[in-house]
Amino acid sequence: MRRSARRRGSVLLGVLVLVTIGALVGTSVLVAVDAQQLGSASSLREDQARALVWSGVQAAMAELASQREDLLAGLRPVLTDEWVLFTDELGREGVVRLLPLDPADGALAQSEAGKLDINHASEAMLARLEGVGEELAARIVAAREEAPFASVEELLRVEGVTPALLYGEVGEGGPSGGAGEEPVLDIYGGAGTRLVDVLTVFSFDPNVQAALDDPAFRGKLRVNFDLPWSDDLARAVEDRFGEEAVAVVKQLFEQGVSFATDADLCRVVQRFAPDNYEVWAMALDALTTSDDAFRPGRVDLNAASAVVLSTIPGFDREIAEQIVLTREELDEQERQVVVWPLMRGIVTPEQFIEAVDHLTTRSLQYRVRIEAGWRRAVEGEEALSLSSLGEEEDRLEHRRVVDAVIDVASTRPRVAYLRDVTLLGPARAIARESERVLASLSPEAALAGEDPLAGLLDEEGELEGIAGKDAIADAESDGAGVE
């Protein structure tokens, strides 16, 4: 009897063990399933954020394309700063918004024509940039002759172009630049002149008329004078300027006058109308010396900084600064004619003629920075608490940030450049810390092969100290950090 009871007790114990093991297995499976579901949900949010940010690029492109005629006339674009594309069942909003590329001026679109095109600027122009000089300018020109630059970032393949020269030095206070400063939406985090701010590879002025005197010609091809005289050219001149102009132009061609550059056009116009700058403006808008559909490398007088303008032949820093100051006083129509610095007496006719082949007054390529993600719904006390924090209530979850260059020089708009810059801030901070640690190593320690990261890690392998964690935390709180 006792033996039977013991047998039943052993069986019961075995059953309990099996049940316990089954429960543990079941719990493990549930935990794994739950983790997989959380991972899938997070991955889904990431995919949705990428789709959101691409929607933002498409929306910005559509708005720029709709304003193309105004842009051809030299006007500036107007863009929507935020879209809420949908709200889910939990009240979370799918948000897309434009961020200022330069926190100092708050502009949501940056003109690429306001920069110097590294694929077309002369060696002398590049050499005038701070931090470049003759030797580095020569290496840049040599590199582009081997293969044109597809982006400004590709300058890093040129010996002598450092991340600090391209993006700017990062101060000890983190990406914002100085100690104790609040983080800003400047993903590059540098101070002073930075090549990324003054150089581009996306500057293409369409070779078409703004036709301020007759909107019927706006967007039509300019009349090319760098051709032999022909009946077709005679008809084009008559169509644009009238029958009387045909005889004058034909006589110039018969005299062997050459029209190889815009400067040549100006010299001829100067002979007939030395002080009538309205005639200069009409000629430069209606005529061209190239059959190319686009004229690369033209710098927008109304958008370029003094740093960029001072590299233009015929201009110096004083002239460049005067142009920047004066253009704020111009009315809308005056800003649209490329001869306005001549009209205002900022430059002489000779200086303008030297500069004219590098100038325009319009921009058809714009760089935008687009942020997308989820804005969670908050109510009651939490909403009041967040509102007191200002920008904090607008922080997005599963956030993505991209830089895009949108080109509307053609009637068919395109995205010329797209780059995910979400992690650029933290990456810059890590690179800075690596450079700091390597610089602190003695030559003997470097030769001995000491681990340069040893000073940044604690016993558990985590970043320690202000030089490590805090630097990356600062970067993540920057505009290109990860939420």
Side-chain angles (χ1 to χ4, degrees):
M1 198 67 150
R2 291 178 182 174
R3 187 177 302 168
S4 176
R6 282 198 298 271
R7 187 179 294 113
R8 287 197 300 271
S10 298
V11 172
L12 180 59
L13 179 60
V15 171
L16 290 173
V17 170
L18 290 173
V19 169
T20 301
I21 292 173
L24 289 172
V25 171
T27 302
S28 299
V29 171
L30 289 174
V31 170
V33 169
D34 189 45
Q36 186 176 6
Q37 289 177 337
L38 288 174
S40 297
S42 178
S43 177
L44 177 61
R45 293 294 185 198
E46 292 290 338
D47 290 342
Q48 289 172 328
R50 280 189 285 270
L52 280 171
V53 82
W54 177 243
S55 296
V57 173
Q58 294 285 324
M61 182 165 64
E63 286 196 332
L64 285 170
S66 70
Q67 300 172 57
R68 181 174 181 271
E69 186 170 338
D70 289 339
L71 299 180
L72 284 173
L75 302 183
R76 304 293 106 175
V78 178
L79 298 177
T80 304
D81 59 353
E82 178 175 305
W83 299 270
V84 177
L85 300 188
F86 58 84
T87 304
D88 68 9
E89 66 280 0
L90 299 178
R92 291 176 298 191
E93 297 175 332
V95 176
V96 174
R97 57 193 178 196
L98 270 63
L99 301 177
L101 286 107
D102 182 355
D105 63 20
L108 298 180
Q110 187 179 78
S111 163
E112 291 296 289
K115 304 174 185 179
L116 207 59
D117 192 317
I118 51 178
N119 286 324
H120 296 92
S122 69
E123 184 176 320
M125 293 168 70
L126 293 170
R128 295 175 76 173
L129 289 173
E130 180 182 345
V132 177
E134 294 180 1
E135 186 177 343
L136 184 52
R139 286 201 292 269
I140 291 173
V141 170
R144 80 185 184 197
E145 288 176 353
E146 293 181 6
F149 295 101
S151 70
V152 174
E153 287 76 17
E154 286 191 5
L155 276 173
L156 291 171
R157 65 180 165 93
V158 178
E159 181 185 356
V161 178
T162 64
L165 179 60
L166 187 62
Y167 298 122
E169 294 284 356
V170 181
E172 291 300 322
S176 57
E181 294 180 4
E182 290 296 320
V184 295
L185 293 173
D186 183 355
I187 61 172
Y188 302 125
T193 300
R194 308 176 301 189
L195 295 186
V196 74
D197 291 330
V198 297
L199 296 177
T200 184
V201 297
F202 305 109
S203 178
F204 310 97
D205 187 37
N207 207 359
V208 298
Q209 304 177 51
L212 300 179
D213 61 313
D214 188 348
F217 289 94
R218 184 167 300 166
K220 291 188 175 182
L221 292 173
R222 293 185 170 106
V223 180
N224 184 14
F225 268 23
D226 190 25
L227 294 171
W229 183 255
S230 66
D231 291 341
D232 288 340
L233 184 54
R235 281 191 292 270
V237 172
E238 181 179 356
D239 185 42
R240 186 65 179 87
F241 297 109
E243 187 176 351
E244 294 181 0
V246 176
V248 176
V249 175
K250 182 180 180 181
Q251 185 178 8
L252 290 172
F253 273 80
E254 290 174 345
Q255 292 173 355
V257 175
S258 173
F259 295 96
T261 65
D262 286 2
D264 292 335
L265 285 173
C266 288
R267 292 186 186 98
V268 172
V269 173
Q270 189 179 27
R271 285 168 48 187
F272 293 93
D275 301 319
N276 191 340
Y277 298 135
E278 291 184 1
V279 174
W280 290 51
M282 182 182 298
L284 288 170
D285 180 57
L287 306 178
T288 184
T289 54
S290 171
D291 262 341
D292 294 339
F294 303 97
R295 300 185 299 180
R298 298 278 171 144
V299 174
D300 186 349
L301 276 170
N302 298 325
S305 66
V307 171
V308 173
L309 290 171
S310 63
T311 69
I312 303 295
F315 292 177
D316 56 24
R317 188 57 183 252
E318 184 179 351
I319 289 173
E321 290 176 351
Q322 190 62 40
I323 287 173
V324 171
L325 287 174
T326 305
R327 69 191 183 196
E328 302 304 320
E329 306 169 0
L330 304 178
D331 60 41
E332 186 175 286
Q333 187 165 357
E334 193 174 4
R335 286 170 61 93
Q336 295 174 39
V337 294
V338 74
V339 297
W340 73 255
L342 192 54
M343 292 176 167
R344 287 290 184 128
I346 298 173
V347 295
T348 66
E350 291 70 27
Q351 289 170 328
F352 179 79
I353 289 172
E354 188 176 356
V356 68
D357 284 288
H358 302 277
L359 302 179
T360 183
T361 55
R362 59 192 182 190
S363 300
L364 278 298
Q365 298 83 29
Y366 284 91
R367 183 178 296 262
V368 293
R369 179 165 300 149
I370 297 174
E371 176 188 42
W374 295 83
R375 183 161 55 203
R376 61 191 180 93
V378 292
E379 298 178 355
E381 294 182 3
E382 186 179 7
L384 291 174
S385 175
L386 286 174
S387 65
S388 67
L389 298 177
E391 290 183 1
E392 291 296 325
E393 67 175 317
D394 264 349
R395 290 298 180 93
L396 302 181
E397 298 174 351
H398 301 282
R399 176 174 175 270
R400 309 298 299 183
V401 183
V402 300
D403 272 5
V405 174
I406 297 171
D407 176 19
V408 293
S410 172
T411 54
R412 183 176 181 178
R414 69 186 182 106
V415 178
Y417 172 85
L418 185 67
R419 184 187 186 197
D420 191 320
V421 296
T422 309
L423 296 176
L424 189 54
R428 288 269 289 145
I430 292 171
R432 183 192 65 192
E433 291 305 310
S434 298
E435 291 173 1
R436 186 190 65 79
V437 173
L438 288 171
S440 68
L441 283 178
S442 65
E444 294 78 12
L447 289 173
E450 288 188 13
D451 182 2
L453 295 180
L456 293 179
L457 304 179
D458 59 21
E459 294 179 357
E460 298 179 355
E462 297 287 340
L463 287 165
E464 95 177 323
I466 293 177
K469 290 178 183 176
D470 290 353
I472 294 177
D474 285 345
E476 289 180 344
S477 66
D478 181 274
V482 180
E483 298 299 321

